[in-house]
């Protein structure tokens, strides 16, 4: 899914379809399980051995093989890019780096929120609600938003009412689990502080995605996933300079240069 969520209209004024599957409707956030699985993946050095330890060795302490397999499948879908070739992603490096748990959790949230369904609902609904001063959100609010865009996405168009309701509920539960919201039926926006290390992580990940200029990074939609506006992003990037980046602003000109050549070097510095 692209960084921009409003697609240009065609000549007939109809918004093109975009693939969007609310997979979160069927899966939990699996925060602790994800960290355990990724740590074990590094210990094993192969996906085959990881699978054996999760399913047969029951390192997650779950009751059935089916449940263990389902969790592994979902974590793999999200965070392990190649089952045939051992690959360490930036998130895997963070999880196994020994850095503070809050840094790991917020980096994990960032990668989790790249899911197209999570990303769209957050950037196009939740963030605008937060910015306009809304204090709380209910599942029905998410449902209304999904229904308002349903015809624009083939993967949403034929979803049942119960599937959409479950997706909305699971979405809010995920945000409570990650600490952006709190409460039971009505979720209120929580007071959060994103660690400097996570700010640096996102900046370097954006560089990896090909976002090169300071203005493009500061204005990027990824920050909306943290419910951060441009002025706050600019301030936080200034805060991490020069420890992780070198940021300068003179008049309308901004300059942002990475201090480290790679994500691996950055994470080693945490």
């Amino acid at each position: 899914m692209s960084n921009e969520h409003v697609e240009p209209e065609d000549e007939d004024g109809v918004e093109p379809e975009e693939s969007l599957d609310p997979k979160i409707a069927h899966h939990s956030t699996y925060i602790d399980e994800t960290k355990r699985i990724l740590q074990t993946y590094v210990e094993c050095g192969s996906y085959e051995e990881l699978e054996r330890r999760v399913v047969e060795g029951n390192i997650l302490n779950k009751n059935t093989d089916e449940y263990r397999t389902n969790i592994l499948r979902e974590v793999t879908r999200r965070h392990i890019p190649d089952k045939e070739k051992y690959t360490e992603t930036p998130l895997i490096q963070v999880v196994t780096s020994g850095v503070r748990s809050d840094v790991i959790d917020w980096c994990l949230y960032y990668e989790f929120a790249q899911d197209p369904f999570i990303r769209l609902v957050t950037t196009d609904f939740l963030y605008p609600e937060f910015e306009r001063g809304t204090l709380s959100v209910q599942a029905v609010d998410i449902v209304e938003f999904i229904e308002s865009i349903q015809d624009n996405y083939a993967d949403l168009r034929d979803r049942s009412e119960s599937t959409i309701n479950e997706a909305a509920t699971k979405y809010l539960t995920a945000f409570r689990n990650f600490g952006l919201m709190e409460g039971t039926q009505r979720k209120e926006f929580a007071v959060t502080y994103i660690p400097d290390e996570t700010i640096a992580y996102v900046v370097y990940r954006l560089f990896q995605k090909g976002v090169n200029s300071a203005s493009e990074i500061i204005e990027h939609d990824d920050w909306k996933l943290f419910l951060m506006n441009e002025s706050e992003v600019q301030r936080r990037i200034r805060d991490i300079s020069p420890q992780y980046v070198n940021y300068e602003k003179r008049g309308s000109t901004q300059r942002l240069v990475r201090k480290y050549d790679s994500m691996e070097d950055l994470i080693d510095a945490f």
Side-chain angles (χ1 to χ4, degrees):
M1 186 171 179
S2 66
N3 294 329
E4 297 293 334
H5 298 300
V6 180
E7 297 289 343
E9 293 185 348
D10 63 19
E11 294 180 356
D12 298 322
V14 178
E15 186 176 312
E17 292 182 358
E18 184 176 353
S19 178
L20 192 72
D21 186 2
K23 292 185 176 69
I24 191 173
H26 311 292
H27 302 288
S28 172
T29 45
Y30 298 134
I31 296 173
D32 292 336
E33 291 87 349
T34 296
K35 289 187 283 189
R36 182 67 188 276
I37 285 173
L38 296 184
Q39 289 166 350
T40 304
Y41 178 57
V42 172
E43 293 171 8
C44 295
S46 76
Y47 187 83
E48 183 179 5
E49 175 61 16
L50 170 67
E51 186 174 32
R52 189 193 68 78
R53 292 195 190 183
V54 172
V55 179
E56 298 177 17
N58 193 17
I59 61 171
L60 301 178
N61 195 28
K62 303 299 181 182
N63 290 333
T64 67
D65 285 358
E66 181 180 12
Y67 189 30
R68 296 191 285 271
T69 300
N70 288 341
I71 294 175
L72 176 61
R73 182 185 300 117
E74 181 60 16
V75 172
T76 299
R77 181 186 72 81
R78 294 174 184 171
H79 304 301
I80 299 179
D82 191 339
K83 293 195 289 186
E84 301 301 322
K85 179 182 178 182
Y86 175 76
T87 305
E88 283 192 26
T89 64
L91 177 63
I92 292 174
Q93 292 166 12
V94 169
V95 169
T96 58
S97 67
V99 72
R100 299 191 321 273
S101 61
D102 61 327
V103 176
I104 294 174
D105 289 348
W106 283 114
C107 290
L108 177 57
Y109 162 73
Y110 173 70
E111 300 295 352
F112 170 84
Q114 299 303 314
D115 177 277
F117 178 78
I118 304 291
R119 185 182 180 85
L120 180 63
V121 176
T122 306
T123 60
D124 287 15
F125 173 74
L126 195 68
Y127 174 79
E129 289 296 313
F130 178 76
E131 277 292 286
R132 68 170 54 101
T134 300
L135 298 178
S136 62
V137 176
Q138 299 181 81
V140 65
D141 301 320
I142 307 294
V143 169
E144 289 177 358
F145 170 74
I146 296 172
E147 290 176 342
S148 74
I149 64 170
Q150 198 168 5
D151 289 342
N152 299 330
Y153 301 95
D155 287 327
L156 291 179
R157 194 171 298 130
D158 298 325
R159 297 288 174 167
S160 66
E161 182 179 352
S162 62
T163 296
I164 292 175
N165 286 333
E166 185 179 6
T169 300
K170 288 290 183 67
Y171 172 88
L172 289 177
T173 299
F175 271 64
R176 183 192 63 195
N177 290 347
F178 277 110
L180 283 99
M181 308 196 82
E182 55 192 11
T184 52
Q185 294 299 318
R186 182 182 291 275
K187 301 293 191 299
E188 298 181 353
F189 290 102
V191 176
T192 60
Y193 180 80
I194 312 303
D196 286 351
E197 294 90 342
T198 301
I199 299 296
Y201 178 91
V202 174
V203 170
Y204 277 63
R205 290 287 280 133
L206 290 176
F207 273 115
Q208 280 191 327
K209 294 178 181 181
V211 186
N212 294 313
S213 73
S215 60
E216 288 177 323
I217 286 179
I218 290 171
E219 296 167 7
H220 202 276
D221 273 356
D222 274 12
W223 300 108
K224 295 179 180 179
L225 301 173
F226 297 98
L227 307 180
M228 294 172 61
N229 60 30
E230 288 180 23
S231 61
E232 185 176 3
V233 173
Q234 184 182 59
R235 178 180 61 80
R236 293 302 309 277
I237 289 178
R238 187 174 62 243
D239 289 346
I240 67 171
S241 177
Q243 185 175 4
Y244 300 118
V245 298
N246 291 303
Y247 174 70
E248 298 176 0
K249 187 177 189 304
R250 297 180 180 177
S252 60
T253 302
Q254 300 180 92
R255 183 171 178 267
L256 182 63
V257 179
R258 287 170 290 183
K259 181 175 180 179
Y260 299 98
D261 293 331
S262 67
M263 287 291 303
E264 184 175 1
D265 290 342
L266 170 72
I267 293 166
D268 285 343
F270 285 171

